Structures are given as C-alpha cells and as structure tokens.
C-alpha cells in the first residue's frame, strides 16, 4: 500500500507554480491576482479562505480578500461581483460557499464572468469541460486528477466508482474520468442515494472515489484487493480526547481499508491540500490567457 501524500504533492506543485511565476514576471508578465469574497463569519469558510490567501503569498500571486458581514444584500454582493468582473488587474476570483441562507448562490455563480471563474463552477465552464473544450476545472476533481497522474496511476480502461453526485465533486469527476482524453478513458459508475447495492458496485472498482460526506462509510468489505481509493470526505466526528472536541474523518474507514489498497489518500493531508493548488493553477492559466485568450 502506498499513501498518496496530498500535503507534500501540494507543496511540490506550489513550488512549480512559484518558479513559473518568477520566470514569467521576470519576462514582463504582471503578477497573477486572485480575489476571494467571504461573506459572514463561518469558521470553516474563514479557514479555507485564509489558506487560499496564504497560498497566493507562497506562489508569488497578488491576493485581495473582500470580507463582508452576513447582513449583506444580494444586490450589494452582485455589485461586488460586477466590480471584480471588470477590474482588469484581477485574473480570477471566487465567492466562498456556502453563502448565508438569504443569498441566492445560483444567481451569484451565474453573475461571475466565466473567464474569471477560477473555481470552475459556472455552467459555461462545466459545459465546456463536458465537451472537452478548454475550461477551468473545478478544484477538487482537478486536484484528484493531479494525484492520479503524478503517481502514474492509469485510468484508461479502468473501472471507476464514484460515490456522490454533487455539482462540485462527483458529477464533474465522472465527466473528467470518462472523457476521451489523457487521465480519462475510464468506465465510470456514479453512485448516489438511490443506487441499489452500493457495496456491490464498490467491490468492482479499480479506482474508488468517495465523496458522500458520511464518516467512515467505505469499509474493507467494500474494497477490491489492490484498488486505488481516493477519499474526499472531511467529516467532523465527536472525539472528547481532542482539544477541539472533534476530529476529522474521511468517508473511508482508513484503518481497515488501507491494507487492501495499492494506493490510498489520507484524511487530513490527502485531497484537501490539493484543492488550493487547483485554484492557483487556474489563476495562473487565467493570467496567461491559456483557457480564454485575453
Ligand atoms: N466551499 C467549499 N469548497 C469550495 C470551493 O472549492 N470554492 C468555493 N468558492 N467555495 C467552496
């Protein structure tokens, strides 16, 4: 069994981005600039956005954090998005989700100029991705593709089972792995709450990707010997022995599953750190005009 160390891989990729930025800026390119919009004071969102801003510093990007109180109106938020859409120095921006209940996430996502949608959430980017056109790939699937590619894990002809059909992980992951493309060409099954016999599907998987948000759901009896297991879950589990009173567990029961795997990602330190890398890669692509020519 080989552990896929997402934290170490993320550091490697950030080092590569930093070197490329230094070279390009030395040749006269402006510094890539990412903006993040954070509404309210959700502790998890604050941590995620702080990580994104810190990563910008690490790779030599400019960053702008726009933090507004929970009381912001939809119109005020749309106005901020308009300004970011037209600000020529901003290469890409994200609006951290989830938004407070009174705000309309769908309208917000649609208001973002798809050419600056480095989260890859806009239907234009999802649609282009589905058709194999250049697009910003959503952070988590893009990070997982990097993990597979950089560990020389072949996807062509493999049986892939994905647990969870969310817009930001399961569904785009299924599209990417089944595309006629490098890191694609897999036979993909997307399992969800209405799937009959999820364990039966899982047992056939050469590559199993768990993104359902249920702690320790995947157990050893559901995994084929030699499978690659990618754990996207980050679930809070009460644990009085921890200072915070909880620990973070994945969707996979790591202890029992790991011995059966050829590769497995841990939680924490697996897929999580890779998602910020994806955002940095997309922002650099935007600055270079690689996805949508300037
Ligand atoms: N909330 C959880 N994941 C994400 C993400 O990738 N982007 C944004 N904007 N919000 C999130």
């Amino acid at each position: 069994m080989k552990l896929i160390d997402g934290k170490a891989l993320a550091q490697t990729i950030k080092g590569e981005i930093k070197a490329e930025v230094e070279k390009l800026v030395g040749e006269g390119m402006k510094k890539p600039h990412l903006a993040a919009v954070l509404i309210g004071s959700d502790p998890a969102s604050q941590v995620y956005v702080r990580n994104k801003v810190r990563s910008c510093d690490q790779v030599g990007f400019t960053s702008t954090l726009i933090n507004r109180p929970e009381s912001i109106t939809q119109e005020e938020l749309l106005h901020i998005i308009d300004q970011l859409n037209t600000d020529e120095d901003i290469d890409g921006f994200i609006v951290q989700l989830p938004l407070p209940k009174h705000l309309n996430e769908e309208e917000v996502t649609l208001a973002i100029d798809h050419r600056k949608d480095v989260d890859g959430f806009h239907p234009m980017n999802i649609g282009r991705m589905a058709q194999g056109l250049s697009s910003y790939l959503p952070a988590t699937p893009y990070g997982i593709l990097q993990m597979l590619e950089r560990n020389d894990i072949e996807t062509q002809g493999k049986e892939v089972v994905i647990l969870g059909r969310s817009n930001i992980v399961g569904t785009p992951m299924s599209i990417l792995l089944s595309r006629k493309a490098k890191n694609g060409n897999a036979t993909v099954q997307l399992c969800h709450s209405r799937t009959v016999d999820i364990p039966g599907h899982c047992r056939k998987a050469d590559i199993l990707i768990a993104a359902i948000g249920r702690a320790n759901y995947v157990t050893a009896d559901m995994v084929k010997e030699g499978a690659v297991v990618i754990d996207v879950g980050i679930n809070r589990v009460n644990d009085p022995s921890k200072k915070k009173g909880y620990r973070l567990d994945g969707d996979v029961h790591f202890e029992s599953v790991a011995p059966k795997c050829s590769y497995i990602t841990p939680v924490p330190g697996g897929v999580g750190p890779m998602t910020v890398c994806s955002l940095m890669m997309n922002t650099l692509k935007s600055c270079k005009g690689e996805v949508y020519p300037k």
Side-chain angles (χ1 to χ4, degrees):
M1 182 276 290
K2 186 164 182 273
L3 199 66
I4 303 181
D5 185 343
K7 206 168 157 187
L9 181 53
Q11 286 304 331
T12 303
I13 293 176
K14 281 190 211 167
E16 292 169 6
I17 296 172
K18 181 170 188 275
E20 187 174 353
V21 168
E22 272 168 13
K23 178 175 162 284
L24 293 171
V25 170
E27 291 166 3
M29 189 183 81
K30 80 168 199 64
K31 266 186 167 192
H33 187 170
L34 174 72
V37 180
L38 174 61
I39 307 300
S41 49
D42 174 66
S45 290
Q46 283 178 329
V47 171
Y48 293 142
V49 170
R50 216 179 299 138
N51 274 339
K52 291 171 187 180
V53 170
R54 189 174 341 116
S55 294
C56 284
D57 293 340
Q58 289 168 354
V59 299
F61 290 2
T62 309
S63 63
T64 299
L65 173 59
I66 299 170
N67 201 170
R68 293 288 181 272
E70 179 138 5
S71 57
I72 193 170
T73 65
Q74 181 79 2
E75 285 64 38
E76 286 165 335
L77 178 53
L78 291 175
H79 181 64
I80 291 172
I81 292 172
D82 259 355
Q83 286 178 323
L84 293 170
N85 280 341
T86 51
D87 184 334
E88 287 194 2
D89 196 62
I90 304 269
D91 298 293
F93 66 96
I94 62 134
V95 178
Q96 187 65 27
L97 304 177
L99 289 170
K101 290 272 179 296
H102 67 282
L103 298 171
N104 181 340
E105 275 183 12
E106 199 178 290
E107 193 180 26
V108 166
T109 302
L110 282 168
I112 297 172
D113 184 334
H114 65 276
R115 293 166 299 183
K116 294 194 178 188
D117 167 42
V118 285
D119 255 335
F121 290 172
H122 193 286
M124 176 69 98
N125 281 311
I126 311 259
R128 288 179 61 95
M129 173 185 72
Q131 296 193 342
L133 302 171
S134 68
S135 66
Y136 296 116
L137 302 184
T140 305
Y142 193 11
I144 292 170
L145 288 186
Q146 288 292 322
M147 288 177 132
L148 297 173
E149 181 177 337
R150 287 171 181 253
N151 284 282
D152 294 321
I153 296 168
E154 181 61 76
T155 55
Q156 176 161 306
K158 295 289 155 60
E159 298 287 332
V160 173
V161 171
I162 299 169
L163 303 183
R165 58 180 158 185
S166 73
N167 282 341
I168 62 174
V169 185
T171 296
M173 193 78 254
S174 70
I175 293 169
L176 287 165
L177 287 171
S178 51
R179 284 192 315 180
K180 188 171 185 175
K182 187 165 167 255
N183 302 317
N185 290 319
T187 305
V188 179
Q189 300 225 27
L190 187 57
C191 298
H192 45 75
S193 54
R194 310 296 161 92
T195 299
V196 176
D197 190 19
I198 289 180
H201 288 290
C202 290
R203 276 191 281 273
K204 295 190 195 118
D206 301 310
I207 300 173
L208 177 61
I209 301 175
I212 44 167
R214 286 175 64 177
N216 302 304
Y217 177 85
V218 176
T219 47
D221 58 303
M222 293 163 68
V223 176
K224 184 164 92 173
E225 197 69 46
V228 175
V229 174
I230 308 288
D231 190 351
V232 184
I234 306 177
N235 308 289
R236 279 190 185 193
V237 175
N238 289 335
D239 185 346
S241 75
K242 301 284 177 197
K243 214 163 67 191
K244 288 181 178 160
Y246 67 87
R247 62 173 197 272
L248 294 177
D249 277 3
D251 289 351
V252 176
H253 187 261
F254 185 88
E255 218 173 282
S256 65
V257 170
K260 293 185 86 173
C261 300
S262 55
Y263 290 88
I264 187 167
T265 65
V267 176
V271 174
M274 294 297 297
T275 61
V276 181
C277 273
S278 305
L279 190 60
M280 301 295 119
M281 291 192 283
N282 281 343
T283 305
L284 178 55
K285 281 185 183 181
S286 175
C287 188
K288 289 161 69 181
E290 235 176 62
V291 174
Y292 299 106
K294 297 239 173 194

